[in-house]
Amino acid sequence: MNQGMDPQDQRNFIIAMVLMIAFVFGYQALVINPEQQERFEAQEAAEAQREIAEPQTVQPAETPTAIAETVEDALSANQRLSFDAERVDGSIRLTGAILDDLQLKDHYTTVERVNELRMLRPTNAPHGYYASWYWFDGDTPIAGPSASWRVLGNDQLSTSNPVTLVHEADGITIERTISVDDNYMFSYTDEITNTGSETRTLTPLGSIRRHGEWKEFLEATDPGSSRTSGMAHQGLLAVFDGKLTWRNYKNLDKGKGLKDADDAGVRRAAEGGWIGFTDKYWMTTLIPEQQYEFAGRYQRLSRDTGPVMQVTATSAGRTIQPGETITTTNRIFSGAKEKSVLDAYQEAGVPRFEDAIDWGNILYYITKPLFAFLSWLESKVGTFGLAILALTVLVRLPLVPLYNQSYKSMAKMKKLSEPMKEIQERFAADPQRRQQEIMKLYQREKANPIAGCIPILLTIPVFFALYKVLFVTIEMRHAPFWYIQDLSSPDPSAIGNLFGLLPWAAADVKAVPVIGLVIGIGFLPLMYGATMACIQALSPPPTDPTQKMIIRFLPLIFMFVFAGFAAGLVLYWVWSNVLSLIQQYFIMRRNGVETELDKLIGRLLGGKSKEAP
């Protein structure tokens, strides 16, 4: 008769295994959900509020009534100032001085590196996305979205060559010098002269608009990014008085606005800050002069051409006496969220700019130093793939004593498998006595059944932190290693085409309905399942048949789970399994324990198991 664990223990074990698998699947939603809650301080003093112009009274940009079929058609409809800088190229629409045509020279839409990634699109293009800074006198536009700007002198904007525009209206002359640095920052330096006879107070107002449904415009910028919108924050991002605030696109689409805003949707800061839209890897923000009060607002507008998401930023009005000239500089960042670049801007005075990368609230203290360490390793070994392998070794080194103790305990448990089976058979009808005898056996042999879990528990934070780092940092995007072209994406190979030996594209194999889940499994997830099964063969087997069956299915289950994980993460786990396998096998052999792996090797070598020394 088959003797197993009692029904209550069996139910508890099955529940534990289901919860463990559910934890892996649910991690993305439970740990790195971008809709994390944050408490903020109350609004700034009423005096500061009165000094800031109310941005909600202004419509900073017109919405086109007709959409061109292509970006190229839209660009040809307006007079433009072209630019070709160190890392960006594109053009600025002279009507309104609107930055609405921007491509990143170092980043591409696919791993083939053919088409530059387009950040910004004209107002009349599909999925328009554009930004600018304007000037208002109350509600009256002095240099608004319809203002006509003309070029003074040089008309070729580059990193080393700024361009000056001029606009005259209603007793005000504005000379705007537009410059772009060697990364992604555009500066609008305005010299404003009051040529009239009356004192004027002008208010700067920046605007970013994004047209269309949010999933559609994410796909238009970076194909595939909308499918991972819950794993990294994508949406509104801003800093007020040194406090970071956010709202994802899904909630913005539902009509929610800035957190801690007033009834008009405006949030204010006593000094400095910024506001904009962020995607997984890309961001466009308005950065006003930091010494002034700052107010930001989000609006969701409905137009005939579809919905429009808009953020505006404004700061205190500038009073200009007749004949007086003032100079002010406001900036627009539009580009990739590269940590080194964001750090440099933060050091130059943009508050909390590096936090535009979604490091996660819970894992924040692990992910940031982990990424810094990975980057340092990459600078030494040449690729992020080798850096991940080196990281795995370095993470395990301090745990070697724990692993040794763990594997020694497993060796003892392996030796005790037969005595435990005898105890279970002898006291099958008395679960309480059976448990007492098993505990006595543990005490007599000085075996600890949970010792093997301790090193694994200590590496779990590294596992999840690496998962987060691989997903949110652009440095991992399109980072190649071996046959993998992008460590931040799932393994591109497939067992269905024999990992490239057959003339079928792996993507086509993975896309086959239903069976694609099986034949589309890549090499690394397959290796993970194989190494996990080998480790199980070295570990003491459960005595209960049901428990043993579930344990044996775990490598297969996790092989499917890991098939959808970033290849860099699976690489880390496979290499960690290989190191564990070598270390555990050595200790098992040294302790004279014959394992299932020994039996398998023996059968392969001629029908006899390999004897332990």
Side-chain angles (χ1 to χ4, degrees):
M1 186 175 72
N2 184 29
Q3 301 295 338
M5 62 173 71
D6 65 88
Q8 182 64 38
D9 289 342
Q10 193 174 70
R11 282 195 300 269
N12 291 343
F13 175 75
I14 293 174
I15 290 172
M17 298 309 300
V18 170
L19 288 176
M20 183 176 66
I21 296 170
F23 176 76
V24 174
F25 279 112
Y27 168 72
Q28 297 168 359
L30 299 177
V31 176
I32 57 176
N33 185 342
E35 261 310 286
Q36 300 155 347
Q37 297 298 317
E38 184 179 352
R39 295 183 179 179
F40 293 95
E41 296 179 355
Q43 299 292 333
E44 295 301 322
E47 180 179 355
Q49 295 182 13
R50 288 193 297 270
E51 292 175 355
I52 303 175
E54 294 292 337
Q56 70 270 17
T57 64
V58 176
Q59 291 296 325
E62 80 280 8
T63 303
T65 57
I67 301 298
E69 290 188 6
T70 66
V71 171
E72 290 71 23
D73 291 340
L75 291 173
S76 65
N78 300 285
Q79 189 177 3
R80 300 193 158 271
L81 168 69
S82 62
F83 59 86
D84 188 358
E86 189 73 21
R87 305 191 68 188
V88 295
D89 55 27
S91 62
I92 296 171
R93 194 182 83 171
L94 288 178
T95 301
I98 295 175
L99 181 60
D100 65 350
D101 171 29
L102 185 143
Q103 297 183 109
L104 308 185
K105 299 169 74 171
D106 297 335
H107 297 282
Y108 300 84
T109 54
T110 63
V111 293
E112 288 77 19
R113 300 176 69 84
V114 175
N115 299 315
E116 292 179 359
L117 187 133
R118 174 172 290 281
M119 275 290 299
L120 302 181
R121 298 164 177 264
T123 61
N124 57 329
H127 311 295
Y129 188 17
Y130 47 93
S132 190
W133 281 95
Y134 311 109
W135 288 94
F136 285 82
D137 185 349
D139 293 344
T140 303
I142 300 301
S146 300
S148 296
W149 294 84
R150 55 186 173 86
V151 181
L152 288 181
N154 164 61
D155 62 354
Q156 294 298 316
L157 176 59
S158 66
T159 301
S160 59
N161 193 23
V163 169
T164 300
L165 311 179
V166 64
H167 172 69
E168 299 172 342
D170 194 21
I172 296 292
T173 298
I174 304 176
E175 288 192 7
R176 168 167 288 178
T177 300
I178 301 178
S179 61
V180 55
D181 66 8
D182 53 4
N183 286 301
Y184 309 113
M185 189 73 78
F186 288 79
S187 297
Y188 283 33
T189 301
D190 294 331
E191 290 188 2
I192 307 174
T193 302
N194 183 353
T195 59
S197 58
E198 297 181 354
T199 300
R200 306 289 292 273
T201 299
L202 303 186
T203 301
L205 185 138
S207 167
I208 302 173
R209 281 192 172 188
R210 203 160 192 183
H211 293 221
E213 300 293 342
W214 65 275
K215 288 186 178 181
E216 295 177 359
F217 60 60
L218 286 179
E219 287 296 313
T221 301
D222 191 3
S225 58
S226 68
R227 296 192 296 273
T228 56
S229 59
M231 298 164 68
H233 174 66
Q234 300 188 96
L236 183 151
L237 193 65
V239 168
F240 295 88
D241 288 328
K243 294 183 173 64
L244 192 70
T245 186
W246 59 87
R247 184 80 75 181
N248 66 23
Y249 284 125
K250 184 177 181 180
N251 283 316
L252 292 176
D253 197 46
K254 292 178 180 178
K256 296 182 179 180
L258 270 170
K259 296 178 183 177
D260 294 335
D262 61 21
D263 293 341
V266 179
R267 180 167 174 174
R268 296 174 174 81
E271 185 175 289
W274 50 270
I275 188 171
F277 290 122
T278 182
D279 298 348
K280 179 180 175 181
Y281 296 127
W282 329 105
M283 181 172 68
T284 300
T285 61
L286 302 166
I287 306 171
E289 290 190 301
Q290 296 298 295
Q291 70 269 32
Y292 295 102
E293 300 93 343
F294 157 59
R297 189 190 188 199
Y298 165 78
Q299 292 172 287
R300 188 182 189 278
L301 310 173
S302 295
R303 297 293 184 265
D304 293 339
T305 55
V308 177
M309 291 185 177
Q310 173 182 272
V311 290
T312 54
T314 187
S315 57
R318 284 30 165 203
T319 300
I320 312 172
Q321 302 297 328
E324 183 183 7
T325 298
I326 66 166
T327 301
T328 184
T329 300
N330 295 293
R331 291 175 288 174
I332 297 171
F333 172 93
S334 187
K337 297 192 294 184
E338 300 164 3
K339 187 174 186 303
S340 60
V341 172
L342 299 182
D343 284 344
Y345 289 135
Q346 181 166 310
E347 291 174 5
V350 184
R352 297 196 64 173
F353 217 46
E354 69 160 347
D355 291 330
I357 300 172
D358 182 10
W359 300 106
N361 272 4
I362 297 176
L363 296 174
Y364 179 88
Y365 296 104
I366 303 177
T367 51
K368 290 183 72 173
L370 181 65
F371 174 75
F373 188 41
L374 259 181
S375 297
W376 179 81
L377 287 174
E378 187 270 341
S379 69
K380 300 299 180 183
V381 299
T383 69
F384 274 108
L386 290 176
I388 290 171
L389 298 182
L391 173 73
T392 311
V393 174
L394 294 174
V395 166
R396 292 178 62 90
L397 279 178
L399 301 177
V400 166
L402 284 176
Y403 275 110
N404 287 341
Q405 289 299 117
S406 169
Y407 297 147
K408 287 179 181 178
S409 178
M410 287 184 183
K412 289 182 179 179
M413 294 297 295
K414 188 83 173 178
K415 287 183 176 181
L416 296 180
S417 58
E418 287 300 322
M420 289 177 61
K421 185 177 180 181
E422 293 177 4
I423 291 174
Q424 290 206 353
E425 291 175 350
R426 187 188 311 168
F427 301 104
D430 189 351
Q432 184 174 358
R433 176 69 185 278
R434 182 180 64 201
Q435 189 64 29
Q436 291 173 351
E437 293 298 323
I438 289 176
M439 294 305 297
K440 288 179 182 178
L441 179 64
Y442 289 159
Q443 292 173 359
R444 185 168 61 250
E445 299 295 334
K446 298 180 179 180
N448 185 354
I450 66 171
C453 301
I454 296 175
I456 297 175
L457 292 176
L458 292 176
T459 58
I460 283 177
V462 177
F463 171 79
F464 287 123
L466 183 62
Y467 179 51
K468 183 75 172 178
V469 165
L470 285 168
F471 189 80
V472 303
T473 54
I474 193 171
E475 287 79 1
M476 299 294 176
R477 181 180 185 264
H478 295 175
F481 177 69
W482 196 10
Y483 67 92
I484 302 165
Q485 297 301 312
D486 184 358
L487 285 172
S488 68
S489 296
D491 190 319
S493 62
I495 192 175
N497 69 350
L498 298 183
F499 309 112
L501 295 178
L502 298 180
W504 305 326
D508 294 337
V509 173
K510 294 175 184 288
V512 176
V514 185
I515 64 171
L517 294 174
V518 178
I519 64 176
I521 291 178
F523 175 74
L524 283 178
L526 195 65
M527 287 299 297
Y528 175 81
T531 54
M532 186 177 181
C534 289
I535 290 175
Q536 283 188 0
L538 293 177
S539 304
T543 55
D544 179 74
T546 303
Q547 185 179 358
K548 183 183 295 186
M549 180 186 66
I550 294 176
I551 289 293
R552 283 182 175 175
F553 270 104
L554 281 182
L556 183 64
I557 293 171
F558 279 95
M559 185 172 67
F560 283 100
V561 172
F562 274 53
F565 280 20
L569 182 70
V570 188
L571 176 67
Y572 164 82
W573 212 244
V574 169
W575 180 231
S576 181
N577 277 0
V578 170
L579 296 177
S580 295
L581 187 62
I582 294 171
Q583 186 179 6
Q584 187 172 353
Y585 183 74
F586 174 76
I587 291 176
M588 289 286 188
R589 296 285 297 169
R590 193 171 64 180
N591 282 271
V593 177
E594 184 182 32
T595 67
E596 296 297 325
L597 189 59
D598 287 316
K599 295 176 182 178
L600 176 61
I601 294 173
R603 286 194 293 268
L604 293 175
L605 293 178
K608 296 181 179 180
S609 62
K610 189 176 180 181
E611 294 183 0

